[in-house]
Amino acid sequence: MRFAVRLILILLIPAILVALPWWTLVAAPSGGTGALFWIGSAVCLLVYLCLPAAMYFGHGPAQSDPAVIVGDISLGALWVLFSWSVLGLFARGALAVAGLDGVVAARAVAVGVLIVSVALIAWGGYEARRVPRVRTVDVALRGLAPGLDGLRVVVVTDTHFAALDRRRWSERIVEVVNAQRPDIACHAGDLADGSVAKRRAQVDPLAGVQAPLGRFYITGNHEYFGDAPGWIDHMRGLGWQPLRNEHRVVERDNDRLVIAGIDDPTGTGLPGHGPDLPAALAGADPALPVVLLAHQPKQIVDSAAAGVALQISGHTHGGQIWPFHYLVRLDQPVVAGLSRHANDTQLYTSRGTGFWGPPLRVFAPSEITVLILRPA
């Protein structure tokens, strides 16, 4: 039954993504006849047949990097075309109300959708591959002692090192992080997609991050799609401290702060893994403020109940490709930015430093975050 459901989704989702652009760009403007109709229909059919195959061979048991690249790029381009084809339907409606309908209106909409989509795909590709902009946010933290005023916590997350070789990009990330003079550096999960053997060359530059009060790492859901124990050990070998349902106390000018981290909820399928916030805070001085690394924003419910001062998360990518953030919002309480929750607990949700799947970012720019802690 589970296999049947997956097979239906693998065939149905590409069909929906292809069908509407086919109608908008091919069928409606051609009137269902002529060379445009037949050539365009053949191209759409080929895309529909190739996309599920590429996704299966890329993200399935074979783990083929060329298939990943083909499938992910196709999926991203289709999503952009689909989204703007939906808007094209509204444009057709507006033109009909204005008295312009039929093939002429369909062609005008098709040209508009195609131009906007191509421009956004090109721009989104540039945005995904560029070194992220630095986003600096002051966070007034309850209970923070004066000696920790101005503490700089630099956050990277969702790097998703994968089939596209981004070793040079990784090196540039380290340069930018170090330029921010972090007291503490954090990686909030989804480090890489694939095994340590296949992706370590891209991850290894992270050993160069310099943060005198500590470098901390937690798992995201994608570690558990691959080799979570391997990545935990590898990051430890690079000098980062994995926080697996545990905490550390950092100190400056005789004042202290608790840095805690918990596993991603997807880790429950692996023995000994899964989030355990009480274990993470066990033995911590209740008088000290807690900064918690938790990959998914929806973990804020437990954090607020436990009296955590600040939770740092990623996972959402800010939606990554507009308008996907509306779907993300159905699963997560926050898509991006600083927010306040129960018991005066704050949550910072990063849009992520890299990208997953399609190498595109449309209206959801990546970021390297500098959180500057201030006493409330």
Side-chain angles (χ1 to χ4, degrees):
M1 179 61 70
R2 185 177 299 175
F3 174 78
V5 171
R6 288 180 179 176
L7 181 61
I8 291 172
L9 291 176
I10 286 174
L11 297 177
L12 181 61
I13 292 174
I16 295 172
L17 291 177
V18 170
L20 187 55
W22 169 79
W23 171 256
T24 303
L25 302 178
V26 178
S30 69
T33 61
L36 171 63
F37 176 76
W38 293 109
I39 294 174
S41 297
V43 170
C44 289
L45 179 61
L46 181 63
V47 170
Y48 170 68
L49 295 175
C50 290
L51 178 58
M55 297 300 287
Y56 175 77
F57 286 109
H59 295 283
Q63 294 288 298
S64 167
D65 281 354
V68 167
I69 294 171
V70 171
D72 288 352
I73 291 175
S74 301
L75 180 62
L78 269 179
W79 175 252
V80 174
L81 285 167
F82 173 83
S83 301
W84 288 88
S85 294
V86 171
L87 296 180
L89 294 178
F90 290 97
R92 283 285 300 275
L95 291 174
V97 170
L100 182 62
D101 202 358
V103 173
V104 174
R107 288 176 178 172
V109 169
V111 170
V113 168
L114 187 61
I115 290 174
V116 171
S117 297
V118 170
L120 287 178
I121 290 168
W123 176 59
Y126 167 76
E127 280 291 314
R129 297 298 300 271
R130 64 166 292 156
V131 175
R133 301 167 182 85
V134 175
R135 187 178 187 191
T136 303
V137 181
D138 278 14
V139 182
L141 211 62
R142 69 172 192 269
L144 190 72
L148 298 174
D149 185 17
L151 192 78
R152 300 173 68 83
V153 180
V154 177
V155 180
V156 297
T157 183
D158 299 278
T159 44
H160 286 283
F161 293 109
L164 288 171
D165 187 358
R166 287 183 289 151
R167 180 179 174 87
R168 178 54 189 154
W169 180 87
S170 181
E171 293 169 347
R172 289 286 292 117
I173 293 298
V174 172
E175 293 171 6
V176 173
V177 168
N178 287 340
Q180 308 314 308
R181 307 182 315 281
D183 297 298
I184 296 170
C186 303
H187 193 299
D190 280 2
L191 174 67
D193 293 289
S195 67
V196 174
K198 291 181 72 172
R199 310 298 182 216
R200 63 178 299 164
Q202 299 179 61
V203 174
D204 284 354
L206 296 181
V209 170
Q210 300 173 11
L213 297 186
R215 300 176 293 176
F216 303 103
Y217 160 72
I218 60 167
T219 55
N221 55 308
H222 278 253
E223 278 87 346
Y224 291 105
F225 298 155
D227 180 17
W231 283 117
I232 291 167
D233 289 342
H234 190 69
M235 286 295 280
R236 184 179 288 109
L238 295 180
W240 289 69
Q241 173 62 62
L243 293 176
R244 295 203 52 248
N245 302 321
E246 56 189 317
H247 72 270
R248 296 290 183 270
V249 177
V250 298
E251 183 174 340
R252 190 179 74 178
D253 295 339
N254 297 319
D255 287 324
R256 297 180 299 158
L257 173 72
V258 173
I259 303 291
I262 54 177
D263 291 347
D264 188 77
T266 52
T268 54
L270 190 65
H273 289 253
D276 188 341
L277 185 54
L281 300 181
D285 185 343
L288 299 179
V290 176
V291 173
L292 175 71
L293 303 181
H295 182 65
Q296 300 195 36
K298 63 185 177 184
Q299 294 172 279
I300 190 64
V301 175
D302 294 334
S303 299
V308 168
L310 172 66
Q311 175 179 311
I312 298 172
S313 299
H315 186 64
T316 68
H317 298 206
Q320 187 166 317
I321 306 175
W322 185 92
F324 197 77
H325 65 288
Y326 291 114
L327 297 179
V328 174
R329 187 63 180 80
L330 296 176
D331 181 55
Q332 300 292 334
V334 177
V335 175
L338 185 65
S339 56
R340 192 174 295 276
H341 299 264
N343 298 325
D344 203 30
T345 295
Q346 296 183 81
L347 165 66
Y348 186 81
T349 305
S350 169
R351 290 186 300 245
T353 310
F355 58 85
W356 177 83
L360 300 175
R361 273 189 174 270
V362 178
F363 305 139
S366 55
E367 65 179 75
I368 294 170
T369 317
V370 182
L371 302 178
I372 302 179
L373 306 187
R374 303 291 187 187

